[in-house]
Amino acid sequence: MANVSLRGRSDGYELEIPAESNFAASLTDLKKLLKKVRDQDNSLQEITFSVRTGRRVLTDEQHKQITVAVTSYDKFRLTGITADVLDQPSVVDLLKAQQVFVVPQIIRSGQELFFDGDVVLLGSVHQGAMLKASKNIYVVGVVDGGVLHAGYPDHADAIIAGDVSQAAQIRISDLVAIVADNPDMTAHKFAHVNEKHELVVDPLSDLKKLKPALYTQMEGK
């Protein structure tokens, strides 16, 4: 397993640091990759980098070290560092809202839990298990073959946000989606019901545009 990988994109480069790698080793390899890019490209144009850290949420110090490594080169710009999980500040903001239930435990095969409100999943939902919420479900933990049902039974304005790529199904209100048939259900996405009453998936960055009321509620808490 590489400590860091580099992929070229139309708008710059994407650096990926696996969550399982040793951060110090990844930082060393990152600096080597950046030097290689600079040696191969001496143009005066700005070069942008984005960083993905998988299921690892960086500390403030680690974030700073990556930022310094990239911006130490002239014309190198860091556009963002993102993880495939919600970070702690995001979870804290959610907990400030009313009727938010934190689910830290493992929901095992055959179990079905229901919460009347929003749910922050910190634990895991195993295959054959189901987690239901009358409102929204925010995935911070792991859904390993289980089923998530937001907006139960008929709240079509609910969303499911977070990494559901390993879930068996997601459901919102009366709509069902098989995750294996929907490769777009990756991290940094949220599932919702559109104006045609279809269960669809969109980037979290579009939440404000597509769900303005929910976005305002979360922002104000």
Side-chain angles (χ1 to χ4, degrees), residues 118 136 138 155 157 159 206-221:
D118 290 331
N136 310 298
Y138 303 95
H155 179 53
D157 287 334
I159 70 167
D206 290 344
L207 180 63
K208 182 177 182 179
K209 177 178 67 176
L210 297 173
K211 295 288 183 178
L214 175 60
Y215 184 87
T216 300
Q217 176 188 356
M218 293 174 64
E219 190 177 45
K221 294 298 182 179

Side-chain angles (χ1 to χ4, degrees), residues 79-205:
T79 59
I81 300 175
T82 56
D84 294 340
V85 293
L86 294 174
D87 58 18
Q88 187 174 358
S90 298
V91 174
V92 171
D93 289 341
L94 292 173
L95 296 181
K96 293 178 182 177
Q98 295 181 351
Q99 291 183 298
V100 176
F101 298 89
V102 178
V103 181
Q105 71 265 37
I106 297 172
I107 306 174
R108 303 186 186 279
S109 179
Q111 290 184 300
E112 180 177 312
L113 295 184
F114 169 72
F115 296 89
D116 188 11
D118 290 331
V119 167
V120 177
L121 174 65
L122 297 180
S124 59
V125 182
H126 285 187
Q127 185 173 0
M130 180 180 292
L131 173 62
K132 294 180 178 179
S134 64
K135 295 184 179 179
N136 310 298
I137 296 178
Y138 303 95
V139 178
V140 181
V142 178
V143 184
D144 187 11
V147 177
L148 299 181
H149 192 166
Y152 177 85
D154 55 5
H155 179 53
D157 287 334
I159 70 167
I160 299 175
D163 187 1
V164 298
S165 59
Q166 301 303 312
Q169 293 181 7
I170 60 171
R171 304 177 184 180
I172 298 179
S173 186
D174 60 335
L175 300 177
V176 179
I178 307 298
V179 174
D181 296 337
N182 293 269
D184 289 337
M185 292 183 184
T186 57
H188 301 296
K189 301 289 183 70
F190 74 101
H192 64 104
V193 178
N194 66 12
E195 295 178 351
K196 298 179 181 179
H197 201 66
E198 302 167 326
L199 201 164
V200 296
V201 178
D202 283 295
L204 273 171
S205 57

